[in-house]
Amino acid sequence: TDSAAPGGDSDAGPKALDELVVGFAQVGAESGWRTANTKDIQSAFADAGIELKFSDAQQKQENQIKAIRSYIQQGVDYIAFSPVVETGWDAVLNEAKAAGIPVVLTDRAVDSQDESLYVSFLGSDFILEGEKAGQWLLDEYADTSEPVNIVQLEGTTGAAPAIDRAEGFAEKIAENDNFQVIASQTGDFTRAGGKQVMEAFLKSNPDIDVVYAHNDDMGLGAIEAIEAAGLTPGEDIKIITVDAVKDGMQALADGKINFIVECSPLLGDQLVDIIKTLNDGGTVEKRIVTEETTFTQEQAIEALPDRQY
Ligand code: GZL
């Protein structure tokens, strides 16, 4: 379904792009993906000549809410943000609605029942990403009759990508009852978090076959822990991650990761297009799903030279 911008004086006609002001409340700078996402959004708005006010919430919801409130106070024309977790947004989104400021969700979703609180949600299908990770495992172990012990490094607790990547993966691996997730814990999408949790997993689980990490950064942390334990990542313990940022793709090409499900951070141009369409009084899709693929080790070697991030 399409939706026009709620509130706002629609008869005011389009503003000149250099008069528009957009407030963006970013999650933080927790991962290579986030850094690439921030760079892409900032350069897309610079290229479009649209002023972007930007804030980094250090992965704290109260900081994102504060940033959104300040954008409302400043009377920006549009607000865009990537909700660090799914819940707890209705109050501040109702304040933006009351102020007639349209809100666009990028990257992550909110669980609000009231869909009038945002104009569009632009981001990946995280359940599908989890399914793609699980499908690779089904194929990889198609002929095994032995149990396959999996440990899962979860993203930020309560974040849409963490919830959905776990859900999609679990649904898929349920097709083979040799698979069992023997341990699952959040590493908060960071390299340090992934390393710390993997060290604990290695201490308490003698026989781990597979790591499923909700992002490359936690997978890279797990590699450090696995090597410190004298094991060979990609061989003794297979690793599947999500994102496909440069460091992850390098580890994949080097054989330390076995499969990566891409999650594109390049949302900047699509976000600018949404703002321009709304400014022209047009309507945008309620849900815009980003294009993305998957990479094996061979495909990573091929793709690495052209990767932008
Ligand atoms: C996914 C994004 C996630 C990435 C992580 O769209 O929200 O947050 O997968 C990032 O790398 O920290």
Side-chain angles (χ1 to χ4, degrees), residues 24-27 34 37 64 80-84 89 106-108:
F24 189 86
Q26 181 61 293
V27 166
R34 189 63 54 197
N37 178 246
Q64 278 195 301
F81 78 113
S82 168
V84 60
W89 301 100
T106 65
D107 165 29
R108 297 185 185 177

Side-chain angles (χ1 to χ4, degrees), residues 230-271:
L231 297 169
T232 309
E235 287 172 32
D236 298 330
I237 297 181
K238 297 208 184 305
I239 302 180
I240 308 164
T241 66
V242 185
D243 274 353
V245 295
K246 197 174 279 287
D247 289 350
M249 292 288 273
Q250 189 58 60
L252 179 58
D254 296 344
K256 295 187 176 184
I257 290 178
N258 299 84
F259 186 67
I260 298 186
V261 176
E262 185 184 37
C263 174
S264 175
L266 305 180
L267 306 176
D269 288 340
Q270 286 174 288
L271 179 55

Side-chain angles (χ1 to χ4, degrees), residues 5-307:
D9 38 0
S10 53
D11 54 5
K15 279 191 170 182
L17 292 187
D18 61 7
E19 285 175 2
L20 279 179
V21 180
V22 176
F24 189 86
Q26 181 61 293
V27 166
E30 73 281 2
S31 63
W33 189 99
R34 189 63 54 197
T35 309
N37 178 246
T38 291
K39 256 194 263 183
D40 187 67
I41 287 170
Q42 289 178 330
S43 60
F45 277 83
D47 294 350
I50 297 174
E51 184 185 347
L52 183 75
K53 291 179 180 293
F54 181 88
S55 65
D56 170 334
Q58 287 94 39
Q59 287 186 279
K60 291 185 177 53
Q61 179 171 31
E62 64 267 21
N63 291 345
Q64 278 195 301
I65 290 172
K66 270 191 212 125
I68 292 169
R69 288 208 163 108
S70 84
Y71 295 144
I72 295 170
Q73 288 304 319
Q74 296 171 61
V76 299
D77 297 293
Y78 298 93
I79 290 169
F81 78 113
S82 168
V84 60
V85 294
E86 284 190 344
T87 55
W89 301 100
D90 283 21
V92 72
L93 292 181
N94 271 299
E95 291 164 32
K97 182 178 175 182
I101 301 174
V103 173
V104 177
L105 302 182
T106 65
D107 165 29
R108 297 185 185 177
V110 298
D111 70 349
S112 295
Q113 304 310 313
D114 179 356
E115 291 211 337
S116 77
L117 293 177
Y118 59 91
V119 180
S120 182
F121 164 35
L122 161 63
S124 303
D125 178 342
F126 301 127
I127 292 181
L128 178 59
E129 290 173 346
E131 290 170 348
K132 288 177 182 176
Q135 186 57 55
W136 183 83
L137 216 47
L138 285 176
D139 300 342
E140 185 70 12
Y141 286 93
D143 312 331
T144 308
S145 54
E146 303 291 309
V148 178
N149 294 331
I150 303 161
V151 294
Q152 179 171 230
L153 295 171
E154 300 168 15
T156 302
T157 304
I163 295 167
D164 292 354
R165 285 173 184 165
E167 182 186 320
F169 182 76
E171 264 164 32
K172 201 37 100 168
I173 64 168
E175 292 174 21
N176 177 338
D177 56 14
N178 288 322
F179 290 145
Q180 43 195 350
V181 177
I182 58 173
S184 186
Q185 197 178 322
T186 182
D188 211 17
F189 281 131
T190 66
R191 206 178 281 218
K195 181 178 180 188
Q196 219 169 355
V197 173
M198 191 62 204
E199 283 164 352
F201 283 167
L202 285 163
K203 285 203 183 72
S204 49
N205 300 280
D207 180 15
I208 297 171
D209 299 305
V210 177
V211 177
Y212 169 46
H214 290 177
N215 79 332
D216 290 355
D217 292 68
M218 293 191 292
L220 292 163
I223 285 171
E224 290 178 43
I226 290 167
E227 289 177 331
L231 297 169
T232 309
E235 287 172 32
D236 298 330
I237 297 181
K238 297 208 184 305
I239 302 180
I240 308 164
T241 66
V242 185
D243 274 353
V245 295
K246 197 174 279 287
D247 289 350
M249 292 288 273
Q250 189 58 60
L252 179 58
D254 296 344
K256 295 187 176 184
I257 290 178
N258 299 84
F259 186 67
I260 298 186
V261 176
E262 185 184 37
C263 174
S264 175
L266 305 180
L267 306 176
D269 288 340
Q270 286 174 288
L271 179 55
V272 166
D273 289 347
I274 289 170
I275 300 294
K276 284 179 173 174
T277 302
L278 295 174
N279 181 49
D280 289 344
T283 58
V284 296
E285 298 274 317
K286 195 71 181 175
R287 178 74 177 94
I288 302 168
V289 182
T290 33
E291 302 279 313
E292 52 203 32
T293 181
T294 58
F295 293 95
T296 61
Q297 289 175 352
E298 300 70 32
Q299 289 164 336
I301 293 166
E302 281 292 303
L304 255 174
D306 309 329
R307 294 297 284 178

